[in-house]
Amino acid sequence: MIYFDNAATTKVDADVLKAYIDVCQNYYANPSSPHIFAKKTENLFLRAKRQIIKSLGLSDNYKLIMTSGATEANNLAIVGYVLAHLNKGNRIICTRYEHSSVLSTFEYLKTEYGIMVDYLDVDQNGHINFDQLNELMNEKTILVSIMAVNNEIGSINDINIIGKIIHDNSKAAFHCDASQSIGKVDLNYQNCDLITISSHKIYGLKGCGGLIIKNNIIIRPLAIGGGQEDGLRSGTNDVASTVAFAVAIKKVCQNYKSNFQHVLQLFNYLFIYLSKNTDLYEINSCINQTPYILNFSLKNKKASVVTEALSMNGVMVSTSSACSSKKEAYSQSVKALGKSTQIYQNTIRVSFSKDNTLEEVKQFIDILSKVMKEIKS
Ligand code: PMP
C-alpha cells in the first residue's frame, strides 16, 4: 500500500506507542485520586502538558486543556470564548476555508445565539487579505478564528502578523487551528490567544488533542463535571495519550528540518510531474505552502472515480478533507480560491508523511497515469 493520506491521519510512531503502553501499564492511576500513585501519575500528566507547550516555543503564559482532538478543541475555543464574552460583543470572524469543526461551530453560534459571522475571503494563493481583516473588525468583534495551515490545499497563514493586526486594531481574541502546522511548518504562535492542536496528525494517537490558552483568556467549559483541567474540561485525564502526544510533538519539532527537506523532495517531484501534464491536471497549490500537502484537480475526469481506482491499485489519497469528503461533493478550500466548478469538484489531495519515500512517489505517478488512461471520463 502507498499511504498518501497523512493530512487525514498518520501511522503511530513506534516511540510514541512505546510511551503510551508504558503509561497504560505502569502509571494507570486516576490523577484525581488522593494516593501517592495518583500523584506520580498527575506529575507525569502535568510534565507532558508543559512539554507540549514548550515544543511550540510558548512560555509559562499558556496552559493546555486536553481534549478528544482538534474538533473538540475548536468547539471549546469558539463556543467557550463567545459564551464567556456575550456582554462584550456579538460579531465573530473566520475565513471561508476553515475546517468544518470551525465553520459549523460558527454556524451553530449564528443560529442558536444570534451571533453575526463575518467571513474573510482568500486569494488564489489561499491567503487572507489583511486590509479586509482590518475592515471587518469593529468594536463588536469578540473573536477571530484563522487556521495556520489549510488542511485541503496546504496554504500557510502568517499567524504571527495576523495576531498582531488583530490585537493592535481590536479587542478581539485570536484563535488559531494549528492542527496541520505543528511540527510541519515553522510558525510563531506567540500572538495567538487560543491554539488548537491534534495528536494523530503528527504520529500520535487518535482521540487526543488540546486547546492551548493564554493565561489571561477566559472561556466557559463545555464538559461540566468533576472539574478536571482547571474546570474547563471535566472527565478522567487520559494520561497515556497525553504523554504519547508529548513524545510525538517533541520528535516532530526536533526533526522538523530533516523531515521538511525530505518531504519537500517528494512534493517537488510530484509537482514537476503534474506541471508537465497540464492537459490533465491543474495544481491547486500556493506560493510558499507546506510540502506536506499537494492538491490538484482533474481537468476532464471525475476525482471520485480516479481516487477509487487508485485505491483499488493500493494508493490511498483523498478527494478533499476526510471530514468533508463523505458529505461534500467538492473541496470548500479550492472553491474559496475562486476556481471553476470542474476544478473544485474534482480535487485530489495527496498528503505526505516523514516516512513516505521518493520510490513511492514514482510508483504513484505510474499508477496515476495508468488509471487516467483506463478511465474514460
Ligand atoms: N482542524 C483541521 C485543520 C484538521 O485538518 C482536522 C482533521 N481533519 C481537524 C481540525 C479535526 O481534527 P480531529 O480529528 O483531531 O478532531
Side-chain angles (χ1 to χ4, degrees):
M1 173 176 79
I2 297 175
Y3 184 77
F4 281 170
D5 196 20
N6 292 283
T9 196
T10 53
K11 180 177 168 179
V12 176
D13 177 272
D15 292 336
V16 171
L17 192 57
K18 213 164 134 233
Y20 178 77
I21 292 169
D22 179 43
V23 177
C24 287
Q25 294 186 326
N26 299 310
Y27 297 93
Y28 47 85
N30 185 330
S32 304
S33 291
H35 43 76
I36 291 175
F37 188 27
K39 194 73 206 155
K40 275 190 186 162
T41 310
E42 188 190 25
N43 286 342
L44 210 62
F45 181 61
L46 296 177
R47 196 153 21 106
K49 292 210 299 175
R50 284 255 67 87
Q51 175 67 58
I52 294 171
I53 293 173
K54 212 172 125 206
S55 293
L56 293 185
L58 296 170
S59 65
D60 286 347
N61 265 347
Y62 291 82
K63 63 182 173 215
L64 169 59
I65 306 301
M66 298 310 297
T67 64
S68 61
T71 299
E72 189 192 328
N74 283 339
N75 274 260
L76 180 61
I78 297 164
V79 179
Y81 189 84
V82 169
L83 294 193
H85 295 84
L86 281 176
N87 58 341
K88 302 256 167 59
N90 65 345
R91 298 195 85 96
I92 52 180
I93 298 175
C94 73
T95 70
R96 289 190 192 279
Y97 70 2
E98 290 302 312
H99 187 263
S100 54
S101 56
V102 169
L103 287 175
S104 303
T105 304
F106 268 52
E107 279 301 313
Y108 166 81
L109 288 172
K110 197 159 120 183
T111 315
E112 297 297 322
Y113 293 91
I115 300 291
M116 312 286 280
V117 180
D118 294 308
Y119 291 99
L120 281 162
D121 300 319
V122 289
D123 64 19
Q124 73 271 23
N125 280 310
H127 296 143
I128 65 152
N129 180 309
F130 296 159
D131 291 336
Q132 190 191 23
L133 173 61
N134 256 326
E135 277 160 26
L136 289 181
M137 285 187 301
N138 61 37
E139 69 284 356
K140 293 271 178 220
T141 309
I142 50 176
L143 182 71
V144 180
S145 182
I146 298 174
M147 68 201 324
V149 169
N150 179 275
N151 54 305
E152 290 188 323
I153 52 176
S155 60
I156 302 171
N157 285 308
D158 193 335
I159 51 158
N160 192 30
I161 293 183
I162 291 171
K164 191 163 173 5
I165 294 174
I166 294 167
H167 293 137
D168 284 352
N169 298 287
S170 80
K171 291 198 172 66
F174 176 32
H175 166 244
C176 173
D177 179 349
S179 306
Q180 297 287 352
S181 63
I182 54 167
K184 298 179 192 167
V185 176
D186 192 16
L187 287 174
N188 181 342
Y189 298 95
Q190 279 165 12
N191 284 331
C192 303
D193 299 302
L194 300 138
I195 307 157
T196 289
I197 55 176
S198 180
S199 152
H200 70 102
K201 309 287 183 189
I202 53 161
Y203 322 104
L205 288 128
K206 292 165 189 56
C208 177
L211 182 65
I212 299 177
I213 311 176
K214 221 174 219 172
N215 283 338
N216 63 336
I217 295 290
I218 293 167
I219 62 165
R220 286 244 189 115
L222 304 184
I224 298 152
Q228 288 90 343
E229 297 285 68
D230 281 348
L232 292 177
R233 208 271 191 169
S234 287
T236 303
N237 308 120
D238 185 349
V239 182
S241 295
T242 307
V243 170
F245 192 3
V247 173
I249 200 164
K250 193 173 174 192
K251 261 190 109 166
V252 288
C253 290
Q254 271 172 355
N255 300 329
Y256 159 75
K257 274 197 182 136
S258 55
N259 288 346
F260 186 92
Q261 284 309 324
H262 171 68
V263 171
L264 184 61
Q265 202 195 357
L266 312 186
F267 177 95
N268 286 342
Y269 197 93
L270 182 56
F271 188 97
I272 289 168
Y273 168 76
L274 295 170
S275 47
K276 279 185 187 152
N277 290 279
T278 48
D279 51 327
L280 300 175
Y281 312 113
E282 177 163 327
I283 303 175
N284 301 311
S285 78
C286 316
I287 296 169
N288 294 332
Q289 71 150 71
T290 173
Y292 283 85
I293 296 173
L294 209 175
N295 189 308
F296 61 95
S297 294
L298 306 177
K299 285 187 169 167
N300 41 40
K301 298 216 192 296
K302 277 196 155 173
S304 54
V305 178
V306 171
T307 43
E308 198 184 328
L310 286 171
S311 158
M312 300 304 281
N313 281 275
V315 177
M316 310 303 146
V317 294
S318 281
T319 43
S320 50
S321 97
C323 301
S324 57
S325 53
K326 285 212 169 72
K327 53 179 191 230
E328 309 265 17
Y330 66 87
S331 161
Q332 182 112 8
S333 306
V334 176
K335 187 174 183 208
L337 298 180
K339 303 263 180 154
S340 70
T341 318
Q342 168 67 26
I343 297 304
Y344 73 69
Q345 282 185 349
N346 291 288
T347 56
I348 292 185
R349 180 185 70 178
V350 169
S351 51
F352 299 117
S353 89
K354 63 179 172 57
D355 300 319
N356 288 130
T357 63
L358 193 57
E359 192 47 44
E360 286 179 317
V361 178
K362 289 177 183 169
Q363 280 177 30
F364 168 69
I365 289 172
D366 288 346
I367 297 169
L368 178 65
S369 58
K370 177 176 90 90
V371 161
M372 289 291 283
K373 279 184 199 122
E374 282 168 6
I375 290 169
K376 292 287 163 273
S377 66

